[in-house]
Amino acid sequence: MITGPLIVGVACSYLGLLFAIAYWADRRADQGRSVIGHPTIYALSLAVYCTAWTFYGSVGRATATGLGFLTIYLGPTVVALLWGSLLVKIVRISKSQRITSIADFIASRYGMSQLLGGLVTVIAVVGVIPYIALQLKAIAWSFTILLHYPEVRMPRVLDLPFWQDTAFVVALLLAAFTMVFGTRHLDASERHEGMVAAIAFESIVKLCAFLAVGLWVSFSLLGPHGSIAGQGLSEAAASPPLAMLLDPGIASPGDWFAISLLAGLAVMLLPRQFQVAVVENSDERQIRRAIWLFPFYLLLINLFVIPIAVAGLLAFPQGSVDPDTFVLTLPMAYQQPWLALVVFIGGLSAATGMVIVETIALSTMVSNDLVLPVVLRRWQSHARDDDLGR
């Protein structure tokens, strides 16, 4: 039986493991034996692109748009194939000019304009903070849903005190991690060895968790002798919701192009993606492996989206369960407690990885492009013998 203390204990143990991995990687770096210089670690860190929206939301989007969910990953796949020239040039420029964020990079293209850098920072903060909140909401919702095991019940919006809010507690833990292994670095261009190692580990965890539930659904539920197959799968497959899943024409070609283009730009220009792809890059040769390994990762993490969506629509035909939660609610509905816990940890990995890297990137942008320019202007109005370092 899954209980509240068990869920909290598993989650805290996992976050503690992240702290341990980050601490170990930082110690290795201090000893001159970096672990993030390996091309595979670099490629896995790029998978921070796959957030809780991917882990939970791809299935939900598939139930609404059919194969249209693939547009979020087609764009990045195409862009990744161009990294041999495109990303290499960006890395070279950034290293030569000690660029530390996407705001710095865009400003450097226009004469290091402070105004432009500040504008990019404001746009990024306004655009990304709701996305960070979405990750915290995903953690809180998955925790609440799992808490009612084996009953599948959608969470209600409750007006809880902030100290009892799961999202608030998780935010505090992630803030501590970000400060210890991210923003404590004085040189913003210094690589965050511990953070990158933890993010690469999280990429493995969320992929394995999604593949585990996908394989279970495909063979135990939808297989020839599966639980759902025995309920008349062939007849149910003719229903409109299921027929729509495999219809690529449900979205117009314009939608496919536009969303793929936006996703392709996002994998390069989102603050967290620029952070891991450019700022944390230690060798141009790492990009060679990322060109094929990152698209392969995207393929694997989307391999079972359609089977999970099919199983969810068959298992919950009345629409009482949010399709975004099918990844978690299916193991619960069919009495698979340990698989449900694995899914919870996978979703936790997807959400926390995004929050950690995005927060480090945004904090660098805010300090360099908003706070420090104001501090410098105030300092210039005082006597020159003032200690600017303090």
Side-chain angles (χ1 to χ4, degrees):
M1 180 63 68
I2 297 178
T3 62
L6 175 62
I7 301 173
V8 172
V10 170
C12 290
S13 298
Y14 177 74
L15 292 176
L17 179 60
L18 289 186
F19 273 83
I21 291 173
Y23 177 77
W24 169 75
D26 273 348
R27 287 291 302 272
R28 293 266 300 188
D30 293 340
Q31 298 168 2
R33 298 183 296 167
S34 173
V35 297
I36 71 169
H38 197 283
T40 300
I41 301 297
Y42 173 76
L44 287 173
S45 70
L46 295 175
V48 72
Y49 176 79
C50 299
T51 64
W53 194 98
T54 293
F55 193 85
Y56 292 119
S58 287
V59 174
R61 184 171 174 82
T63 62
T65 65
L67 295 178
F69 80 94
L70 291 174
T71 54
I72 303 297
Y73 310 99
L74 288 177
T77 298
V78 173
V79 169
L81 300 178
L82 304 176
W83 277 348
S85 59
L86 179 62
L87 185 56
V88 166
K89 291 179 180 178
I90 294 177
V91 168
R92 288 174 180 172
I93 293 171
S94 299
K95 299 305 180 185
S96 64
Q97 300 189 21
R98 294 178 63 80
I99 287 172
T100 60
S101 68
I102 185 62
D104 286 350
F105 181 80
I106 294 176
S108 71
R109 301 295 86 196
Y110 297 91
M112 296 304 295
S113 169
Q114 282 189 356
L115 178 62
L116 182 57
L119 178 62
V120 171
T121 299
V122 170
I123 292 174
V125 170
V126 171
V128 169
I129 283 182
Y131 197 17
I132 293 177
L134 185 64
Q135 308 305 306
L136 298 176
K137 178 183 176 182
I139 296 173
W141 271 54
S142 59
F143 173 82
T144 305
I145 291 173
L146 194 58
L147 195 60
H148 294 108
Y149 181 90
E151 181 184 357
V152 176
R153 185 195 308 174
M154 291 297 98
R156 293 181 293 123
V157 178
L158 300 176
D159 187 16
L160 295 174
F162 67 88
W163 60 85
Q164 296 181 9
D165 190 340
T166 307
F168 176 74
V169 176
V170 172
L172 290 181
L173 292 173
L174 297 185
F177 183 96
T178 303
M179 286 186 284
V180 172
F181 299 106
T183 54
R184 71 178 174 84
H185 292 265
L186 183 62
D187 184 357
S189 63
E190 181 182 357
R191 293 193 303 277
H192 305 85
E193 302 260 345
M195 182 270 290
V196 174
I199 297 305
F201 175 75
E202 288 198 304
S203 296
I204 297 174
V205 170
K206 64 190 176 189
L207 176 61
C208 290
F210 197 88
L211 290 178
V213 70
L215 289 169
W216 171 75
V217 165
S218 299
F219 293 100
S220 294
L221 296 186
L222 299 179
H225 305 288
S227 302
I228 291 181
Q231 300 173 9
L233 178 59
S234 58
E235 292 81 2
S239 64
L242 292 178
M244 183 185 65
L245 285 176
L246 299 178
D247 183 9
I250 192 172
S252 67
D255 289 342
W256 277 71
F257 175 78
I259 299 176
S260 296
L261 177 62
L262 287 174
L265 294 173
V267 82
M268 293 290 296
L269 302 179
L270 280 175
R272 71 176 184 274
Q273 295 302 136
F274 191 90
Q275 179 74 32
V276 294
V278 178
V279 178
E280 306 295 344
N281 180 278
S282 59
D283 192 329
E284 293 177 9
R285 290 174 292 184
Q286 293 176 325
I287 299 174
R288 298 176 186 172
R289 183 162 300 178
I291 290 175
W292 65 266
L293 186 53
F294 177 65
F296 184 62
Y297 185 99
L298 295 182
L299 171 66
L300 290 179
I301 205 167
N302 286 285
L303 196 59
F304 295 105
V305 167
I306 294 297
I308 294 173
V310 170
L313 290 174
L314 291 172
F316 311 110
Q318 304 302 320
S320 59
V321 175
D322 189 336
D324 285 342
T325 67
F326 282 172
V327 178
L328 178 61
T329 52
L330 279 171
M332 292 176 59
Y334 288 91
Q335 308 293 308
Q336 300 292 324
W338 292 110
L339 183 58
L341 274 175
V342 168
V343 170
F344 172 74
I345 292 300
L348 183 65
S349 297
T352 55
M354 179 274 183
V355 173
I356 290 169
V357 182
E358 202 78 80
T359 306
I360 290 175
L362 288 181
S363 65
T364 301
M365 294 165 65
V366 169
S367 63
N368 286 4
D369 297 289
L370 295 182
V371 177
L372 287 180
V374 174
V375 172
L376 287 173
R377 290 193 188 96
R378 291 176 60 88
W379 175 75
Q380 288 172 353
S381 64
H382 292 74
R384 289 301 190 201
D385 57 356
D386 285 355
D387 185 1
L388 177 61
R390 292 184 61 188

